Amino acid sequence: MKTLLFERSLPRFAAARVASALGAGRGAGVGPLRLVDAEPPELPAPDWVRVVPVLSGICGSDLATVDGRSSRYFEDLVSFPFVPGHEVVGTTEDGARVVLEPVLACAARAVDPPCPACREGRTNNCERTAFGHLRPGLQTGYCADTGGGWSAAGLVAHPSQLHAVPDAMGDEAAVLVEPAACAVHAVLSAKVRDGETVAVLGAGTLGLCATAALSHLVAQGRLPAPGALLVGARYPHQRRLAGELGATDALPADQLPRAVRRRSRSLGLGPPQRGGQRLTGGADVVLDCVGSAESIGQALAMVRPRGRVVLIGMPASVHVDLAPLWHREVSLVGAYAYGTEDAPTGAPLRTFDLAMEVVAGSDLGRLVSATYPLERFEEAVAHAGAAGRRGAVKVAFDLRHTHRRPTETKGHPR
Amino acid sequence: MSPRPGFVLEVDRSTPPTLFWHGERFALERLPEGSRVVYAPEPTDPLADPVGAIRHALTHPTGDSAPLPALLRPGMRLTVCFDDISLPLPPMEAPDARQLVIEQVLDMAAEAGVDDVVLVAALALHRRMTEAELRHALGDRVYDAFAPHGLLTQHDAEDPDNLVYLGQTDQGEDVELNKRAATSDLLVYVNINLVAMDGGHKSVATGLASYKSLRHHHNPTTMRHSRSFMDAPASELHSANWRMGRLIAASGVKVFQIETTLNTDTFPKQFAFLQRREWEWSLRDRATYAATAAALDRTPARLARQVFHSIKAPHALTSVQAGEVEAVHAVTTANVWAQQGVEVEGQTDILTMGLPYICPYNVNSIMNPILVACLGLGYFFNLYRGKPLVRQGGVLILHHPTPWEFHPAHHPSYIDFFEQVLSETTDPVRMSEEFEESFATDPWYVHLYRTGHAYHGVHPFYMWYWCAHALEHLGKVIVVGGDPRAVRRMGFAPASTLDDALELARDVVGPSPTLTHLHSPPILMADVR
């Protein structure tokens, strides 16, 4: 059955890096990703279940992987060959619709006793993602034993990884639950306080999900209300969506530092001719949904002393001047995946449960802009790599009609 | 031969294309038959002996005032204030009128033994002038005598230690002025009355005031009730300044006002065609136009801007009046109207105007979109007495490239205003209520205004308020050749060509509109009957 397989191949890895210089996602055609016929993966243990993907998203970390631009930090946390795809809505053998929580933590790995993080429900911080009865893999989609979402053959999942999808939630919405969960975790990690100014850098899927998550959690009384939620977005459709999802101001990306300065009434450093955009004060919280050297630098330039910068977008090896972080005592916080959240109000909750609420409440299914069959994976990945420029947000593989062109419905390729 | 008065041409088949300014470029447009073109009067004769005329004015004052020498005595505090870089336009060839006047004032002060003299550039909330600009306005002799000793200052409306509160007018308007000027034994104000709006009590009450004072008349309500602010009796802007001026006088501040008028000799010889009526262009004018237009088409915008901003106008002094503020200003205003006034019969459905590269707030700087709006809807629209050139609900067509471009050092708050305020509202009242205060008190703008060369944080609001009367009056504003994004941000309609603009305008004013073109600069004032 059609499957996209990512193999360890240094020449192809190098070719992908070169090709990706032409644009994100261009590595798909020449890199280690290949379309193959494959059998479904074996069940690692009797309690595991098979999941046939329905929609499987392409996210920024997938693009980095396909383009050979992921950090080498992950080398020992993945196992080859693997089937990518961790944003998955699918069906189990008994016909239940589920979304996958892809982190392969102690429970999935049959590690007993579980690590300290998993004991506390912080599965995203699991210390055993390279151990147990599975080969290394921090998530489904990076592990040789589990399969992944970019496959018609399906994947295998531990019951702890599966969340039932409500009947009222469409597939397009459900495939956004995983990125929404990342956003929920990041927003909660930011520990926003009442009246604070929050700036969001980037308005791709993660930026928009973060905007929606913050707005929704505030509306539900789960978070104190910030004084302003300013979103810097490069493209007009992103600004429109950010506004609809709750941004106080959705601005072109280059205007965000000025809006933050105005909002925080801070001074600028350096002559205005040079931009004057290094601020003396700034936003209380900056959510960096890009993860590039440039965005981290911008975040550090627009956050107030003792403010928090939360990295949601997956960074790789970047060169960043940390002098402002040191001098201004900024907290640079990583926000990886999801687990259990200590919301400021109420009992701890699974991040995915909150994400389900956010997706349903904010109608995030609208963020799915295009779907492709697996056979057109090069186009799909290239589209995802140029999503903003091409007026799209989330691009996904549609495995409902694996061998047919997509129907004239929402999510048609552009 | 005496200079010819202004003229209203009716366009017919034989009329050559009409020159439109287009920022740092020009366009020749063929106007529909029956259109009117309003031309400025030719420059009036200059004073034969400017220095002699100045000395005469100072020693033979107008109104209830003693001659200047009689007001000067040893041991007194004398402050000489003068108009800033915003006047005249373009900056005039040296020697500047301010230099000529101030040199005479200082000579008389020296003769009287006055040694406590300070010069103050009356900036209000404008940007501080550079050394080169001050030297040009005052001359090297004055600059070098005062600046090195800290005696040449620029009004700082945000310096609490150098402001003095004089009280409120009977309308509750706060009057807060430059302390040095207001506490001197004599305040001599030296103005250049380029247009009828300038001068009078506005010189001191605005030029030396703080935001606390200025907000009482620089607001949408006042601007909407200034019809026009070029016509003082019909201008609430002037009424407020006059109330403040009288309070200033009643507070014991002794003002000796010196006002000057210039003729409309606006461009140097190489641009002589800009001051001629097109059907009178000589072969040389045509050749110069063609060469200039072709060269500008190939010149990068930045370089073209530098070229134009290097132009110094051959403006010549036409009158000097000195003495009591109101009496002086009455004479000055009459002189301005005598030079610039043009009688125009009736209003028009469509008013067109080509906007040049310069306005009062972008000398040696960039004409950003807000200034384009201000020049067109604030200044040119208001160059009238009686009633506006364009009828209520009519259309104003501006010709200007309107780039989305700002000078970051001169106009930092304009950038934020354009990005953040105009994206929310173009309504002057709403923006004054929701945004003005935060811009006016923004510490970054205050810092840049005080220490750099930035206009005050509130200044872009004032520019937009200048447009308030026109915005209320007009049915549509169209910009020909402007950056569509910038034009739309301001609530105006972009058009690629004048024909397209006229097509859009007909949707508003009907299929057979009347059209009038304001052929300016040189500056003219329409006396609309």
Side-chain angles (χ1 to χ4, degrees):
Chain A
M1 302 192 56
K2 296 293 182 195
T3 295
L4 287 166
L5 195 67
F6 194 92
E7 298 175 303
R8 188 193 288 275
S9 163
L10 286 178
R12 283 178 166 269
F13 182 83
R17 270 191 83 91
V18 172
S20 69
L22 299 173
R26 295 298 185 88
V30 297
L33 187 68
R34 291 193 303 125
L35 184 66
V36 299
D37 275 315
E39 294 300 313
E42 295 295 322
L43 291 172
D47 57 340
W48 282 57
V49 294
R50 296 187 184 281
V51 176
V52 177
V54 171
L55 289 177
S56 186
I58 304 170
C59 93
S61 57
D62 294 325
L63 288 172
T65 302
V66 168
D67 284 338
R69 294 189 173 275
S70 283
S71 166
R72 295 189 67 179
Y73 165 84
F74 295 114
E75 277 182 0
D76 297 321
L77 296 174
V78 300
S79 50
F80 295 92
F82 63 80
V83 179
H86 57 276
E87 296 176 355
V88 182
V89 54
T91 52
T92 59
E93 285 174 310
D94 58 8
R97 263 186 339 134
V98 291
V99 289
L100 179 73
E101 181 173 341
V103 171
L104 292 168
C106 287
R109 294 178 171 279
V111 174
D112 191 25
C115 73
C118 284
R119 275 205 299 274
E120 294 174 8
R122 293 183 288 106
T123 50
N124 53 330
N125 300 142
C126 176
E127 298 175 22
R128 303 287 185 268
T129 53
F131 304 95
H133 68 85
L134 299 176
R135 279 179 280 178
L138 68 170
Q139 292 189 353
T140 302
Y142 298 99
C143 175
D145 290 333
T146 60
W150 296 3
S151 169
L155 55 88
V156 291
H158 187 264
S160 65
Q161 292 183 278
L162 298 178
H163 298 263
V165 179
D167 291 341
M169 182 178 284
D171 292 335
E172 281 78 8
V175 80
L176 261 300
V177 170
E178 194 274 346
C182 293
V184 166
H185 177 64
V187 162
L188 292 171
S189 302
K191 306 203 180 306
V192 176
R193 291 187 281 266
D194 195 38
E196 287 192 326
T197 296
V198 179
V200 179
L201 274 173
T205 303
L206 278 180
L208 292 171
C209 284
T211 304
L214 183 54
S215 304
H216 183 85
L217 294 173
V218 168
Q220 296 300 309
R222 295 188 191 278
L223 269 183
L229 174 56
L230 309 174
V231 179
R234 212 164 151 187
Y235 300 101
H237 71 287
Q238 295 175 335
R239 294 196 283 277
R240 175 181 57 76
L241 284 164
E244 290 173 7
L245 292 171
T248 317
D249 279 306
L251 310 143
D254 63 327
Q255 297 181 12
L256 183 62
R258 288 194 288 274
V260 168
R261 192 212 63 74
R262 280 257 315 115
R263 176 80 200 173
S264 59
R265 293 174 79 78
S266 89
L267 307 182
L269 287 170
Q273 294 93 319
R274 290 214 309 263
Q277 293 187 351
R278 249 177 351 112
L279 307 183
T280 56
D284 301 286
V285 172
V286 180
L287 303 177
D288 179 358
C289 301
V290 181
S292 67
E294 186 188 7
S295 67
I296 297 169
Q298 285 174 343
L300 292 174
M302 70 170 79
V303 71
R304 69 165 166 80
R306 300 202 143 211
R308 286 93 71 202
V309 174
V310 181
L311 281 184
I312 311 178
M314 186 185 82
S317 175
V318 294
H319 180 87
V320 177
D321 183 354
L322 292 179
L325 178 135
W326 170 79
H327 178 235
R328 293 149 68 85
E329 299 190 328
V330 170
S331 299
L332 182 61
V333 180
Y336 163 66
Y338 21 71
T340 302
E341 306 296 345
D342 295 322
T345 54
L349 284 168
R350 292 290 295 273
T351 320
F352 260 64
D353 292 337
L354 290 168
M356 288 273 193
E357 281 182 26
V358 171
V359 168
S362 303
D363 184 23
L364 290 188
R366 63 181 136 163
L367 301 188
V368 177
S369 311
T371 60
Y372 288 82
L374 286 175
E375 291 86 344
R376 294 170 59 191
F377 72 96
E378 291 178 39
E379 285 175 71
V381 174
H383 194 171
R389 186 163 49 79
R390 292 173 64 176
V393 180
K394 172 58 69 185
V395 177
F397 287 111
D398 186 342
L399 296 114
R400 289 173 291 203
H401 311 284
T402 309
H403 302 294
R404 281 177 281 160
R405 294 181 66 81
T407 53
E408 298 290 328
T409 58
K410 186 176 182 181
H412 192 65
R414 297 179 187 184
Chain B
M1 197 170 71
S2 62
R4 293 185 298 178
F7 179 67
V8 180
L9 169 79
E10 182 158 331
V11 174
D12 61 24
R13 207 173 301 168
S14 65
T15 305
T18 304
L19 181 90
F20 276 62
W21 279 90
H22 187 76
E24 288 94 5
R25 286 178 169 70
F26 313 108
L28 284 175
E29 297 282 8
R30 198 167 278 285
L31 295 170
E33 281 184 45
S35 301
R36 299 183 304 181
V37 183
V38 186
Y39 288 95
E42 290 185 342
T44 51
D45 294 333
L47 292 171
D49 175 13
V51 173
I54 291 165
R55 291 194 73 86
H56 181 82
L58 301 183
T59 51
H60 299 80
T62 303
D64 182 19
S65 172
L68 181 61
L71 299 170
L72 302 171
R73 57 182 163 72
M76 72 180 298
R77 276 158 61 91
L78 171 65
T79 301
V80 181
C81 307
F82 57 93
D83 282 347
D84 73 347
I85 189 69
S86 58
L87 289 164
L89 297 176
M92 64 191 293
E93 289 174 358
D96 189 280
R98 286 161 289 210
Q99 175 188 339
L100 294 177
V101 173
I102 289 171
E103 283 177 349
Q104 297 310 312
V105 171
L106 295 176
D107 281 353
M108 289 181 184
E111 287 164 15
V114 181
D115 53 14
D116 183 357
V117 185
V118 169
L119 303 186
V120 181
L123 302 182
L125 303 180
H126 298 172
R127 70 169 175 88
R128 296 187 324 141
M129 296 166 73
T130 64
E131 178 182 336
E133 291 164 348
L134 286 164
R135 283 185 180 278
H136 184 78
L138 303 174
D140 288 337
R141 184 182 148 214
V142 173
Y143 185 90
D144 289 333
F146 284 80
H149 309 291
L151 301 175
L152 169 53
T153 65
Q154 306 200 53
H155 173 59
D156 181 351
E158 291 289 349
D159 178 4
D161 295 334
N162 198 22
L163 291 170
V164 60
Y165 185 73
L166 298 182
Q168 285 189 334
T169 68
D170 57 3
Q171 302 285 314
E173 297 146 326
D174 300 290
V175 178
E176 188 173 54
L177 286 189
N178 181 289
K179 191 179 199 173
R180 163 73 202 196
T183 57
S184 288
D185 297 304
L186 183 64
L187 190 174
V188 173
Y189 196 99
V190 180
N191 108 324
I192 295 179
N193 228 102
L194 186 70
V195 290
M197 179 189 72
D198 306 326
H201 285 302
K202 186 168 169 290
S203 294
V204 169
T206 291
L208 296 171
S210 67
Y211 172 64
K212 185 176 181 177
S213 249
L214 293 166
R215 63 190 308 179
H216 291 290
H217 45 74
H218 278 56
N219 58 57
T221 306
T222 300
M223 294 305 173
R224 284 178 174 169
H225 291 90
S226 299
R227 301 184 171 203
S228 71
F229 48 64
M230 296 293 175
D231 182 14
S235 166
E236 182 53 33
L237 174 67
H238 287 79
S239 300
N241 272 285
W242 258 239
R243 288 190 293 271
M244 290 180 168
R246 286 167 187 168
L247 176 80
I248 291 166
S251 303
V253 180
K254 174 71 180 165
V255 178
F256 187 83
Q257 181 88 357
I258 309 169
E259 298 194 342
T260 62
T261 58
L262 304 175
N263 66 12
T264 51
D265 198 1
T266 310
F267 299 103
K269 282 194 174 60
Q270 60 267 37
F271 294 112
F273 65 91
L274 292 170
Q275 293 186 202
R276 299 209 173 111
R277 298 158 190 185
E278 289 83 353
W279 70 93
E280 295 176 343
W281 280 10
S282 64
L283 197 58
R284 184 191 180 88
D285 290 328
R286 287 165 207 267
T288 312
Y289 169 81
T292 307
L296 288 172
D297 282 345
R298 287 194 295 273
T299 306
R302 192 184 173 124
L303 184 58
R305 187 182 303 136
Q306 283 177 357
V307 169
F308 273 99
H309 280 277
S310 69
I311 289 177
K312 294 289 183 284
H315 290 306
L317 208 57
T318 55
S319 74
V320 186
Q321 295 71 233
E324 188 274 319
V325 178
E326 294 183 22
V328 163
H329 193 61
V331 180
T332 303
T333 307
N335 289 339
V336 169
W337 274 96
Q339 166 65 97
Q340 299 172 358
V342 184
E343 286 189 13
V344 181
E345 201 59 46
Q347 293 178 298
T348 185
D349 296 320
I350 301 171
L351 178 64
T352 61
M353 48 182 71
L355 299 183
Y357 63 96
I358 196 168
C359 81
Y361 314 107
N362 78 311
V363 177
N364 301 322
S365 188
I366 294 169
M367 180 95 130
N368 63 54
I370 298 159
L371 294 177
V372 171
C374 178
L375 182 61
L377 281 75
Y379 280 84
F380 280 22
F381 173 87
N382 280 289
L383 290 171
Y384 78 85
R385 182 164 65 182
K387 39 193 178 182
L389 266 169
V390 57
R391 70 166 168 82
Q392 178 85 38
V395 173
L396 178 64
I397 297 177
L398 311 174
H399 219 297
H400 193 276
T402 320
W404 187 311
E405 190 181 4
F406 296 81
H407 194 298
H410 292 166
H411 302 119
S413 67
Y414 281 61
I415 301 171
D416 295 343
F417 176 87
F418 198 69
E419 289 175 353
Q420 293 162 39
V421 177
L422 286 184
S423 63
E424 288 282 324
T425 182
T426 56
D427 175 11
V429 174
R430 189 181 149 200
M431 67 176 62
S432 73
E433 292 167 350
E434 294 182 18
F435 295 99
E436 180 189 307
E437 181 81 23
S438 75
F439 272 68
T441 58
D442 188 307
W444 175 230
Y445 303 145
V446 170
H447 171 79
L448 294 175
Y449 162 79
R450 298 192 66 186
T451 63
H453 293 282
Y455 283 83
H456 194 273
V458 81
H459 205 258
F461 288 81
Y462 290 175
M463 297 300 92
W464 202 255
Y465 300 160
W466 284 124
C467 307
H469 168 29
L471 287 170
E472 194 178 49
H473 181 85
L474 296 166
K476 197 178 191 78
V477 178
I478 302 169
V479 182
V480 177
D483 176 341
R485 282 192 320 138
V487 170
R488 289 198 185 97
R489 171 58 59 95
M490 296 188 287
F492 307 151
S496 303
T497 65
L498 182 60
D499 285 343
D500 288 351
L502 293 175
E503 206 53 48
L504 289 171
R506 286 189 190 98
D507 291 341
V508 177
V509 294
S512 306
T514 56
L515 185 151
T516 299
H517 177 63
L518 188 75
H519 201 287
S520 181
I523 294 171
L524 66 89
M525 305 279 289
D527 208 349
V528 184
R529 306 301 169 98

